[in-house]
Each structure stands twice: as C-alpha cells, then as structure tokens.
Amino acid sequence: MIYLDNAATGFPKPRRVVQAVAQALQVYGGNPGRSGHSLSLAAGEQVFRVRRLLAKEYGVQPERVIFTSGCTMSMNLVLQGCLGGGGGLLTSCWEHNCVLRPAAMLVSRGGVRWEQVPGEGEDLPQQFARQIRPDTALVVCTHASNVTGKVFPVAKIGAVCRQYGVPFAVDAAQTGGSLPLNLEQDHIDYLCLAGHKGFYGPAGIGVLLLGERAQLSPLLYGGTGSNSADPSMPDFYPDRLEPGTLNTPGILGLGAGLLWRRQLGDAALERELALCRKLEQGLSRIDGVTVYTRDYRKGERMPLVLFNLAGYTSQQAANQLSRKGFALRGGLHCAPSAHAQLGTLEEGAVRCSIGAFNTPAEVERLIGAVRDMAAEKKQP
C-alpha cells in the first residue's frame, strides 16, 4: 500500500518515535507527578524535557505547554473556556469540525454569536477587522486548510486581534512540525497542535500552547498530583488544565518526532511540495480530472493535492484507488465549510497528502492509476 493520507495522520512513524514510545512503556513506567519513587520521578523528567522542547520551539514558558488528547481537545478547551460566558466568535470559512462543532454547540446553548469570515487571501486580516464587535470574545483561524493546504496569514490576523484586544486562537494541526510559529511574535494567544500529523508522533497526543495573556478555566476536573486536599482545581498551569494521568508514551513519541522533523530541516517540506507539483501537473493532463490545488510554494500551501475524477464520486474514486494499492481520502475531510467555499460540498473531493517518506516513483504510479481509471470510464 502506498500511503498518501498524511494530512489525516503521518505514517509510517519514524524509528526514533517508535523507540521513544517503547521506552516510555518499558523504562519510564511510573506515573509522572503522582509518586516520589524513582520511576515516577524519571517519567516526570522525561515529560518535562518534551515540555521544554515545545516551549522553546514556539516561544512560551514550559508551564504554558498543556498536553491534551489531540487538537480537538485543545480547541475545545479554548472555545469553551473563552465563550462559556457568551460573546461573539469569529472564525474563517475554512475551519475543521474541531472548531465548527464546538462552535455550533455553544451557539445552540445560547449567548454565543458566531460569524464566519469569508476570504482566503491577503485581505483576510482586514475582513476579520471589519467584523470584530465590542462583544467579540474570540477569533479563530486555521493556519492551513486540511482541504486545500492553503496557508493563511495568521500573524497578520493576530496583529489585528491584538490591536482590538481580542484573544486569538490558531489551529495548527496541519502545519505543526513543518512551518514555524512563535506565539509572541505572531500575536497568538492559543495555539493548538496535533502530535500525530506533521510531528509523526503517535495518535492520542496533542498540545495547547498558552500565550502570556491567555487565561482559561478548566474544562475537565480531576487529580493532578498537586494540592490534593483542595477540592478545586489548581490555579496554576499546567496542572489547571491537565487532570488525570498524562499520556507518557504519546508525549515522549511527540518529543522524538519533533526532534526528527527538526533534523530533517526545511528541505523536507520543499521536497514534499515538489512532489505535489509533479502530481498536480500529471493529473491536470488527464481528461476528466479536476484539480483544485496549485501554486506549491513554501509558506503558501501545504503538501496536498485535491482532485476529482469524472464518473466517480470522491468516495468511489478513493475506494477504487485503495483497491489499486493507494491510501488516499475522499469525502468532506471533516471540513464542510471549506468544501462549500470550493463548490464541492455535495460530492466532496479526493485528497492526496504527501509525506516525508513518499517518493517520485510513487507519485508516478498514482498518476498512472488515475489515468487508467479515467480511460476505463471512457470505454463504451
């Protein structure tokens, strides 16, 4: 199977990530922060090591690195924490369901006004500025669409939010590990990361990074290993937002993935984008194929190609390609608003997302498979 679904989860996992997860299970077996014995202390030291790595990578203090179950959990902490008392919410039209569904739930409860801001170009910051109101309590924008790979000018949007005194949250699920961000320099208050995508870490681990101005109430309550006699959650981070046992294997795997991606350097993303250009050009020459993505420049688009093939629904095309040995994703990709912008809400589209382990030969084979499918549909 040729794996081309890296926007859903990075695969295969690098050897050092697998080794880090195994080490967490076999060596660092204690519960970090829950006991005073050597195994617990060693596990706690390893968790803090990864916390420091992430803090340095994104320009925050280590205690403001919050480990979660994933980007969805991180975004729920932000949305429900900032809007629990009501207020206005502004989002782009390109958000994932990790934003759309919590937002819809908050609106249904009453007290929250939600508007989606149109646009995707350099005018997007001003579009947000025009829709900020006195009651706006939060602005959310994805760093890059998981449907088109388009990278949005979040630093400029953040500057607008800072000017108006509105908290700004960024969903960096698609860019974490690939594109740099700095919370202070880019005017971000809340940054949500998925460990299993661009970092090539295991599933079930995510991060919420808090800027210096960020303040959140807990969403979940429980044990932290600190202030155990107090029935209230601690008032300090990270304990305030990290109830329950931490996912040590996931955290250590994420840390290993971060170091692995850092070692690959910028050349890795350039190579992935070059493969996308090759795929986009090859597919565009096939009659019956519509390609929705182009202009693969670093900082402007992430390495994915979105297309449809005449005569097939997107799900049918993806299933047929699966039978031919290719792992892609058809449908709406948990982002219906993005497909509404593209005009593909009814049929969806096929997404091919290139990763660090893909090769030019694999891209050539995919182009050939799609060409064969197009020819089969033309036969009487």
Side-chain angles (χ1 to χ4, degrees):
M1 177 67 75
I2 295 175
Y3 187 79
L4 295 162
D5 196 17
N6 290 280
T9 195
F11 184 80
K13 304 302 181 185
R15 179 175 297 179
R16 69 187 296 173
V17 169
V18 176
Q19 291 172 338
V21 172
Q23 199 171 36
L25 294 169
Q26 296 170 344
V27 178
Y28 302 109
N31 194 331
R34 296 303 195 275
S35 303
H37 57 71
S38 60
L39 286 176
S40 174
L41 294 174
E45 288 172 1
Q46 290 299 312
V47 167
F48 188 67
R49 176 183 61 82
V50 179
R51 212 184 286 276
R52 274 190 317 206
L53 282 172
L54 287 159
K56 183 177 181 181
E57 190 78 8
Y58 291 98
V60 298
Q61 294 301 310
E63 64 270 16
R64 288 184 163 263
V65 176
I66 311 300
F67 291 117
T68 68
S69 64
C71 207
T72 295
M73 182 65 186
S74 298
M75 191 55 75
N76 269 270
L77 279 165
V78 175
L79 287 163
Q80 298 195 53
C82 290
L83 294 160
L89 168 65
L90 291 180
T91 73
S92 80
C93 290
W94 300 92
E95 302 303 316
H96 186 274
N97 273 340
C98 74
V99 173
L100 301 182
R101 284 179 170 168
M105 177 275 296
L106 288 164
V107 170
S108 72
R109 286 182 177 177
V112 171
R113 176 184 57 81
W114 173 27
E115 294 180 80
Q116 291 179 290
V117 177
E120 61 173 342
E122 288 301 312
D123 65 332
L124 191 56
Q126 289 310 309
Q127 295 273 40
F128 273 102
R130 281 193 282 270
Q131 291 190 227
I132 289 176
R133 303 286 182 267
D135 72 334
T136 301
L138 183 66
V139 168
V140 179
C141 186
T142 185
H143 193 194
S145 168
N146 73 313
V147 173
T148 68
K150 173 71 175 177
V151 178
F152 299 103
V154 293
K156 293 180 179 179
I157 297 170
V160 167
C161 293
R162 191 63 51 87
Q163 177 186 349
Y164 285 90
V166 177
F168 180 45
V170 173
D171 171 5
Q174 293 298 321
T175 59
S178 298
L179 293 181
L181 284 172
N182 181 285
L183 272 75
E184 188 58 31
Q185 294 174 11
D186 296 326
H187 315 290
I188 299 168
D189 297 293
Y190 305 98
L191 182 64
C192 303
L193 299 171
H196 65 103
K197 296 187 181 187
F199 293 107
Y200 286 77
I205 184 66
V207 184
L208 170 60
L209 296 142
L210 305 176
E212 288 300 315
R213 300 166 183 78
Q215 295 293 331
L216 282 181
S217 298
L219 179 61
L220 300 176
Y221 296 78
T224 61
S226 57
N227 296 359
S228 293
D230 188 344
S232 301
M233 288 296 287
D235 60 1
F236 52 88
Y237 303 117
D239 295 37
R240 184 165 179 76
L241 301 177
E242 286 184 350
T245 297
L246 290 173
N247 177 5
T248 305
I251 293 168
L252 270 58
L254 167 58
L258 188 158
L259 291 174
W260 175 76
R261 286 294 295 204
R262 187 187 289 173
Q263 190 174 30
L264 291 182
D266 291 344
L269 180 57
E270 295 283 8
R271 180 182 163 279
E272 293 164 16
L273 291 169
L275 290 178
C276 284
R277 283 192 289 272
K278 180 182 181 68
L279 178 58
E280 183 259 322
Q281 291 165 6
L283 293 177
S284 296
R285 289 193 287 266
I286 301 172
D287 288 341
V289 173
T290 301
V291 182
Y292 302 96
T293 52
R294 48 188 48 85
D295 299 328
Y296 290 94
R297 291 183 288 270
K298 184 184 173 187
E300 296 183 20
R301 196 173 297 278
M302 294 304 290
L304 66 84
V305 177
L306 193 75
F307 67 95
N308 271 320
L309 178 57
Y312 298 85
T313 68
S314 63
Q315 295 281 19
Q316 288 170 341
N319 290 342
Q320 180 70 4
L321 286 166
S322 178
R323 288 190 285 270
K324 290 176 178 287
F326 300 90
L328 298 93
R329 183 175 176 186
L332 298 181
H333 314 97
C334 301
S337 290
H339 280 279
Q341 300 302 300
L342 290 175
T344 53
L345 183 58
E346 185 174 345
E347 71 272 24
V350 181
R351 184 183 68 189
C352 172
S353 43
I354 301 290
F357 295 99
N358 293 123
T359 66
E362 291 174 339
V363 169
E364 289 285 1
R365 288 179 61 182
L366 177 60
I367 293 169
V370 175
R371 185 185 297 115
D372 290 344
M373 288 171 60
E376 290 166 8
K377 280 297 179 184
K378 286 185 176 180
Q379 293 175 359

